[in-house]
Amino acid sequence: MPAVPAEGRSATALTAAPGGGAGAGRLGWLRPDDPWRAAAAVLLGNWTGASTVPSRTLYPHQWSWDSAFVAIGLRHLSPRRAQRELEMLLGAQWGDGRIPHIVFNPAVPHAAYFPGPDFWRSAASSAAGGRSAGARAGAPRHTQTSGIVQPPVHALAALLVHRADPAASARRGFLARVYPRLRAWHRYLTVDRDLGGAGLAAIVHPWESGMDNSPCWDGPLARIEPAPAASFRRADLDHGDPADRPTDLDYGRYVRLAADYRDADYADAGVRHGFAVEDPCVNALLIASEEAMAEIAAELRATGRPVPAGPAPHRERAARLTEALVARLWDAGAGIFRGRDLRADRPIEEYGVAGLTPLLTAGLPPAVTRALLDTLAGEHFRLGELPLVPSYDLEGRAFDRTRYWRGPAWFNTAWLLERGLRRHGVSGTADALRRAVLDGAAGSGFAEYVDPLTGAGRGARGFSWTAALALDLAADGAGWPGPGQGGGPGPAAAR
C-alpha cells in the first residue's frame, strides 16, 4: 500500500464538524466549554499532517493500536481522515505481515523518544552501520519502525470506519485496499506467533500486550537480566511523573528483551524467547477482528469485489480461536481468563483487566460470560461501586493506583468492556460505564488514564484515544450535553 497523500498539512483539513454544515473545516467551532468540541480539538492538535500521535510530548510518533482507536473516534468527525489514519499505519506493514507497534516520524529528533529508530534498526541506516535488523522479516526499506507489535484491533476499526460513510468508503475502495493487509496481519499472528502450538497468538514482549507494566508480567519478567542502566536513557521521564511510569528495573528488562529480539533479526520461529505469553486480550481482539473480517469480506463480495473464499474462513477462524481461548486460558475457579507463560508452561495467576476483555467476543459459553460478569462486579474490579474498571486487581499484591498499568483505569479498556457488555445484553451496566467514560474523559482533560478510586487524571493530558473513544461513545445522541450533544454526522453513529 503506497503512502496516502495528505489532504493538507494543517489540522484545519478536518472535513466534518459535529452535525456537519457550515462549520466544517474551520477551527471556530472548537469551544473548550463543549466536551464534544474539546475532544475534537485534542485530535486536531495531535494530528501531524499524516497521522495522529497519542500525545505531543510523551509519544511523538504513530502507535499501532492507538491509531486504530483514534480512527474509531475520528470517523465521527471525518471518515476520510479516519481511513487515512489506518492506511498510513498499514503502509508501514512488514513483508511477513506484522504491523509494527511504532511508525517513526522522521521529522522528530531521534532523542525525543527511546527506544527510537537507532535502537530498533528496522531499516538500514548509518547509525546501524548500514545494516537492517528487519530485512529478513521484510521491514520497509524507507520507513523506520519498531520490530514488535500491539493488539490486533485494526480490522474492527476498519469495519467501523467504513460504516461511518459506506458510500464514500466504497467509492474510495477503502475496504478493498485494507483487506489484503489485514489478512496478512492475521496470518502472521495465527501462524508465526502460534508459539505454544495450541492455536493462540503469543506475545514476545510486554509492550506487545499494550499493557506494558501490568503485574501479570512480573513473573515472566523476573527471569530476564535487565540491560545495564548506563546503556540507555529514558526519554519518557522528561515528560512523565516517575510515579506514573514503569520502574527503572522494569525498563531495563524491556530493553533487554527488545534488544535480544532485534539481534535475532526479529525471528519468531527457531528462537528461544525470554518472554513468551499467550495473552487473553490480544487473542480476544484477534477474535473480534476476525469477526469483523467476515463482515468486511461480505461487504466486498456484495459490491462485486473479489474475496478469496468469502467470509466463511474468518468465521471459522474466530470460532477456533474462541475454542482455544476457553480451553487454554479460562480459569473457571477464578472466573477470569489468565495469560499463559509459555516458558514455564503454566497460567499467570493474577487478575488483570486483559482477562475480562473476552467479553468482546460473541462465542463464549454462557457460563463463562456469567462468571466474567460476576468477576467484573466483584471484589477484584468492583464495577458498579467504582465508575471505571481498574487495570489490575484492587485486592492484588501489586496494586498501585497511579502507576501506568498496575492499577489505574484506562479509557480504551473501558470502551472494549462497554462494547462487550452491550453485546451480551447487559445494557444497564453498559450505559453506566459509558457515562463514566464520558464524565471521566472530559473531567480529566482527556487524561491518558485515571486513578480508579478518585478519578483523578494521571499520565499525559490531551491523550488521543481517550478523546477518540469518548467521541465514539457520545455519538449515539445520549452523550455529552451542549451543542455537540454527542451528535456527529448521523451515519457514523453505527456501532
Side-chain angles (χ1 to χ4, degrees):
M1 180 181 295
V4 180
E7 296 173 338
R9 311 309 281 180
S10 73
T12 57
L14 196 65
T15 58
R26 297 201 302 268
L27 293 177
W29 54 269
L30 295 176
R31 294 207 311 272
D33 60 334
D34 182 320
W36 177 280
R37 288 170 167 83
V42 169
L43 298 182
L44 286 170
N46 289 342
W47 175 252
T48 67
S51 62
T52 307
V53 298
S55 160
R56 280 287 178 181
T57 55
L58 196 54
Y59 309 102
H61 301 286
Q62 184 178 25
W63 261 256
S64 171
W65 77 326
D66 292 72
S67 277
F69 287 128
V70 164
I72 288 168
L74 269 178
R75 69 192 176 116
H76 301 291
L77 305 175
S78 168
R80 175 70 178 270
R81 181 172 288 186
Q83 292 171 22
R84 291 183 57 221
E85 184 78 34
L86 293 173
E87 290 182 274
M88 290 300 298
L89 177 69
L90 292 171
Q93 186 173 29
W94 289 27
D96 63 3
R98 81 182 74 195
I99 298 175
H101 97 296
I102 302 174
V103 180
F104 291 106
N105 181 349
V108 173
H110 286 195
Y113 181 82
F114 178 85
D118 294 342
F119 175 90
W120 295 102
R121 304 174 198 163
S122 68
S125 68
S126 57
R131 181 182 179 277
S132 164
R136 290 184 182 177
R141 295 179 60 189
H142 303 295
T143 301
Q144 294 282 0
T145 76
S146 67
I148 60 174
V149 301
Q150 279 188 321
V153 70
H154 311 85
L156 175 59
L159 177 64
L160 295 178
V161 166
H162 166 76
R163 286 177 175 170
D165 191 342
S169 173
R171 284 196 304 271
R172 291 194 67 237
F174 170 65
L175 290 182
R177 285 198 305 278
V178 301
Y179 178 73
R181 296 277 183 165
L182 294 169
R183 283 184 66 223
W185 170 221
H186 288 196
R187 188 219 62 82
Y188 171 75
L189 292 170
T190 55
V191 177
D192 295 16
R193 285 298 190 91
D194 182 11
L195 303 180
L200 295 179
I203 58 174
V204 298
H205 195 291
W207 290 341
E208 293 194 318
S209 72
M211 304 181 189
D212 306 10
N213 70 330
S214 169
C216 297
W217 315 137
D218 289 357
L221 277 175
R223 297 188 295 261
I224 307 303
E225 180 68 25
S231 67
F232 61 93
R233 179 185 174 276
R234 294 183 60 178
D236 62 313
L237 298 182
D238 294 342
H239 306 288
D241 184 342
D244 290 353
R245 304 294 300 163
T247 65
D248 287 343
L249 177 60
D250 283 343
Y251 225 87
R253 288 170 168 153
Y254 303 150
V255 172
R256 172 70 70 191
L257 285 168
D260 288 349
Y261 193 38
R262 176 201 65 205
D263 293 346
D265 291 338
Y266 300 112
D268 295 309
V271 175
R272 184 170 173 78
H273 297 281
F275 180 99
V277 171
E278 292 168 345
D279 174 58
C281 183
V282 166
N283 284 282
L285 286 173
L286 181 55
I287 293 166
S289 278
E290 278 293 335
E291 293 167 353
M293 286 288 278
E295 296 191 50
I296 291 171
E299 290 269 0
L300 290 172
R301 277 208 162 176
T303 57
R305 301 274 187 170
V307 180
H314 299 296
R315 296 191 181 114
E316 292 165 3
R317 191 173 299 117
R320 288 197 305 271
L321 284 163
T322 302
E323 182 179 354
L325 181 75
V326 173
R328 185 89 165 157
L329 304 186
W330 175 242
D331 185 333
I336 198 165
F337 285 88
R338 310 274 206 191
R340 187 169 192 87
D341 180 354
L342 295 178
R343 285 289 306 274
D345 194 25
R346 62 171 178 251
I348 298 169
E349 296 187 352
E350 299 280 4
Y351 284 86
V353 71
L356 301 171
T357 57
L359 278 171
L360 188 66
T361 66
L364 293 180
V368 171
T369 301
R370 289 193 298 270
L372 280 174
L373 294 173
D374 288 345
T375 300
L376 184 58
E379 62 182 351
H380 301 287
F381 298 99
R382 288 164 43 191
L383 182 62
E385 178 185 347
L386 297 176
L388 293 170
V389 183
S391 52
Y392 176 68
D393 183 2
L394 290 160
E395 303 290 320
R397 56 166 184 87
F399 174 75
D400 184 330
R401 59 201 284 183
T402 66
R403 195 178 292 277
Y404 215 42
W405 287 97
R406 300 182 76 82
W410 288 71
F411 293 96
N412 65 327
T413 53
W415 184 89
L416 295 172
L417 291 172
E418 189 272 351
R419 191 173 182 86
L421 288 165
R422 209 166 291 285
R423 183 166 210 173
H424 291 287
V426 192
S427 57
T429 305
D431 288 345
L433 184 54
R434 177 181 60 188
R435 171 49 56 193
V437 169
L438 296 178
D439 291 347
S444 68
F446 302 99
E448 186 177 4
Y449 47 90
V450 298
D451 182 319
L453 304 182
T454 68
R458 310 293 303 191
R461 301 302 193 275
F463 197 72
S464 289
W465 79 27
T466 302
L469 296 177
L471 284 172
D472 186 61
L473 291 179
D476 63 2
W480 289 307
Q485 292 292 337
R495 299 194 65 218

